[in-house]
Amino acid sequence: MAGVKSRLTHDEVKQLQHLLGSRQFSLLYKASVHGYNASIFHAKCDAQGPTVAIAYNGSGYIFGGFTRHGYVSSGGYINDEKAFLFRLKGKEGVLSPLKIPVTTASGAIYDHSSSGPNFGGGALHLLNQNAAAAATSSNNNYTYNVADLHGNDLGLIECEVYRAEDISSFLESPWRKITWTTEERGKIMEEIRSYKPYLNSVPQIRILVLGPIGAGKSSFFNSVNSVFRGYVTSQAIAGSDNSSVTTQYRTYPVKDGRDGKPLPIIFCDTMGIEEKSGTGLEIDEVSNIIKGHVPDRYQFNPAATLCPDSPGYVKTPSLKDQIHCVAFVIDGCKIEILPEKLEEKLKQLRRKVNQIGIPQLVLLTKVDEICPSLEEDVQCVYKSKAVEKQMRITAEKLGIPLAQIVPVKNYCSELDLLCDADILLLSAVRQLIRLAESYLDNFPFEKPKKEL
């Protein structure tokens, strides 16, 4: 399992937000991955605050329940006057929202360690008998027609539980200062264009982009490339799949416009990092890449890393062929639910990169999904409490200073460039350049050769 993915579509999330108000959803539990088991559900979801449980059946219905109080395995009922049952989709997956408020608040939630999400003591009980099934009955706690909720199809093909945090509040002032103007955008672009590494032997800095599959590695390069091209474009293969979309090691120079000169940066793209050993990018391969032994277009083979006897192995790479900075791309929506083995693999990579002495920056992607309000106004990114929280969690989990984490919004569905998104992307690139420059400071200055 390379990661835990939400089954909800963008439109379904929007509909859920309409029912619940302005909330951020973080996936805590997914039955098909973690198991149809009440004890696992409580291990994942207890003490998480407001939650929404969502069930999917084979008839196309999507239904569930919301509680503003966290589960604690108390063995009794939780009083919640704001709890309710809901339906997002009806027969054959047609959007048909329905909200069923709690009737008796004192019996809103039955919170027992042996029971899955249980609204009203059986009004809606998911993971019934630790199986892929629901049990429902109209009672004094919730009064409704059970067929309206799920079409009398109690078999489940999936059950998910999300933390549902209120994100309507923002900080009064941003905790990092950014100037959001077209002039600032042009200023940073010119700063990047005019940058020149102080070592003559390194005409362009190389930035290695690492991250789990689906986090947005290739999309980050495409987005930066789009900014300098002047329109949204896609050069590196990007997308989402159960395994890495990128299978080759690729080096991507960035040009200043279609026919412009190359900028002083090269992005190096790799396979995504996966949880299981023998899949995705391996740690030993990262060491080879950083030291410059891996040629462009090298086809990765997770079962066998590149060695000195391998075809194409670069035996004596120069400093210009080596990596000068590493960018870890992390999906901000999933940092809290990274599988343990994947989290440990990321930490091992961090340790390996630290041993080699390469500076690192974390790019926290999908900020508009962390805080949906940012879809309308990216300028609030450093006012968003939700984004700040995810950045601090990332710092703690990966053991990296908060100063080395920046939020970005890649171009995914947009057809035209957006000034605010460009400024976040350009600010990230500028920081990567600064970190790479600090790495090059470790090497002796080369005096320019005299012309004959």
Side-chain angles (χ1 to χ4, degrees):
M1 180 182 65
V4 185
K5 296 182 180 180
S6 168
R7 190 183 177 94
L8 290 172
T9 66
H10 181 76
D11 288 342
E12 289 161 1
V13 170
K14 288 292 187 184
Q15 195 61 57
L16 196 58
Q17 287 172 337
H18 180 72
L19 288 173
L20 274 70
S22 182
R23 290 184 179 271
Q24 170 199 345
F25 303 114
S26 300
L27 184 59
L28 300 172
Y29 166 81
K30 189 178 181 77
S32 63
V33 173
H34 300 120
Y36 288 87
N37 183 283
S39 62
I40 297 175
F41 154 70
H42 280 284
K44 296 285 183 181
C45 302
D46 277 7
Q48 293 291 338
T51 57
V52 57
I54 303 176
Y56 307 76
N57 68 21
S59 300
Y61 284 77
I62 301 177
F63 58 100
F66 166 76
T67 174
R68 62 174 177 167
H69 298 302
Y71 295 95
V72 292
S73 298
S74 64
Y77 282 90
I78 295 175
N79 187 317
D80 186 357
E81 62 183 14
K82 299 295 185 181
F84 61 87
L85 306 181
F86 65 85
R87 181 190 67 207
L88 282 183
K89 285 187 174 181
K91 189 175 181 180
E92 297 179 353
V94 177
L95 273 173
S96 54
L98 172 68
K99 186 173 181 178
I100 305 165
V102 64
T103 307
T104 306
S106 60
I109 307 295
Y110 181 60
D111 179 36
H112 196 283
S113 60
S114 64
S115 176
N118 192 334
F119 295 82
L124 173 60
H125 183 194
L126 304 178
L127 312 182
N128 186 36
Q129 297 182 346
N130 287 333
T136 56
S137 67
S138 178
N139 59 24
N140 292 332
N141 297 321
Y142 295 88
T143 304
Y144 69 104
N145 183 347
V146 295
D148 289 341
L149 194 65
H150 48 60
N152 289 322
D153 182 356
L154 296 174
L156 302 183
I157 59 174
E158 185 60 276
C159 178
E160 297 176 327
V161 179
Y162 296 79
R163 181 171 52 252
E165 294 179 277
D166 188 351
I167 55 171
S168 58
S169 59
F170 286 84
L171 299 169
E172 289 187 7
S173 58
W175 58 280
R176 279 183 185 165
K177 303 294 183 182
I178 285 188
T179 303
W180 303 96
T181 63
T182 54
E183 291 77 16
E184 180 68 11
R185 176 182 180 273
K187 176 183 174 183
I188 304 175
M189 288 183 73
E190 184 56 36
E191 188 176 334
I192 294 170
R193 288 189 186 106
S194 60
Y195 168 73
K196 184 178 180 180
Y198 86 102
L199 292 178
N200 296 324
S201 60
V202 182
Q204 295 168 294
I205 61 168
R206 290 189 173 233
I207 300 167
L208 176 61
V209 186
L210 300 175
I213 63 172
K217 296 186 300 85
S218 301
S219 294
F220 174 69
F221 162 74
N222 287 334
S223 298
V224 173
N225 195 36
S226 296
V227 175
F228 283 96
R229 284 293 181 100
Y231 54 86
V232 177
T233 184
S234 179
Q235 181 179 349
I237 298 174
S240 59
D241 202 345
N242 290 327
S243 57
S244 182
V245 174
T246 304
T247 60
Q248 288 184 326
Y249 174 65
R250 291 303 317 273
T251 58
Y252 293 108
V254 182
K255 286 187 176 181
D256 188 12
R258 182 178 178 84
D259 300 317
K261 66 178 183 178
L263 294 173
I265 49 175
I266 295 176
F267 287 104
C268 304
D269 198 11
T270 66
M271 286 187 75
I273 301 165
E274 300 189 35
E275 177 185 6
K276 294 181 180 178
S277 179
T279 60
L281 187 68
E282 290 298 323
I283 294 174
D284 289 342
E285 208 74 281
V286 172
S287 181
N288 282 330
I289 293 171
I290 289 175
K291 295 176 181 178
H293 296 304
V294 180
D296 186 28
R297 297 184 182 274
Y298 168 71
Q299 185 70 42
F300 289 108
N301 179 7
T305 57
L306 190 71
C307 62
D309 296 331
S310 300
Y313 181 90
V314 181
K315 294 185 177 181
T316 55
S318 61
L319 182 59
K320 70 179 179 65
D321 300 316
Q322 298 172 27
I323 298 299
H324 312 120
C325 185
V326 171
F328 281 97
V329 180
I330 302 294
D331 183 341
C333 296
K334 296 180 179 178
I335 185 64
E336 290 175 283
I337 57 170
L338 282 178
E340 290 183 10
K341 291 183 179 179
L342 180 57
E343 183 179 329
E344 180 55 35
K345 200 168 185 180
L346 285 168
K347 289 179 179 177
Q348 289 177 9
L349 279 171
R350 279 257 304 134
R351 288 193 288 269
K352 174 62 71 173
V353 176
N354 282 336
Q355 287 174 3
I356 301 174
I358 307 297
Q360 301 140 58
L361 186 71
V362 172
L363 308 176
L364 201 71
T365 61
K366 305 183 182 180
V367 292
D368 52 334
E369 294 183 29
I370 297 173
C371 179
S373 298
L374 297 181
E375 286 188 10
E376 303 297 328
D377 189 2
V378 176
Q379 291 188 19
C380 292
V381 65
Y382 284 119
K383 287 185 178 181
S384 169
K385 291 181 179 180
V387 172
E388 182 191 25
K389 177 183 176 183
Q390 297 306 96
M391 290 176 68
R392 293 188 184 280
I393 290 172
T394 302
E396 181 180 347
K397 280 185 171 284
L398 299 186
I400 193 165
L402 189 61
Q404 289 171 233
I405 303 174
V406 295
V408 295
K409 175 177 166 30
N410 290 334
Y411 286 109
C412 298
S413 60
E414 298 82 0
L415 297 179
D416 298 302
L417 297 176
L418 303 170
C419 180
D420 294 342
D422 288 357
I423 288 174
L424 279 183
L425 290 163
L426 291 167
S427 297
V429 173
R430 178 171 60 183
Q431 193 62 22
L432 288 166
I433 289 174
R434 290 171 176 175
L435 290 170
E437 184 75 7
S438 69
Y439 172 70
L440 294 178
D441 284 342
N442 295 318
F443 298 89
F445 176 72
E446 303 162 337
K447 293 183 179 180
K449 293 181 180 179
K450 295 182 179 180
E451 295 183 5
L452 299 176

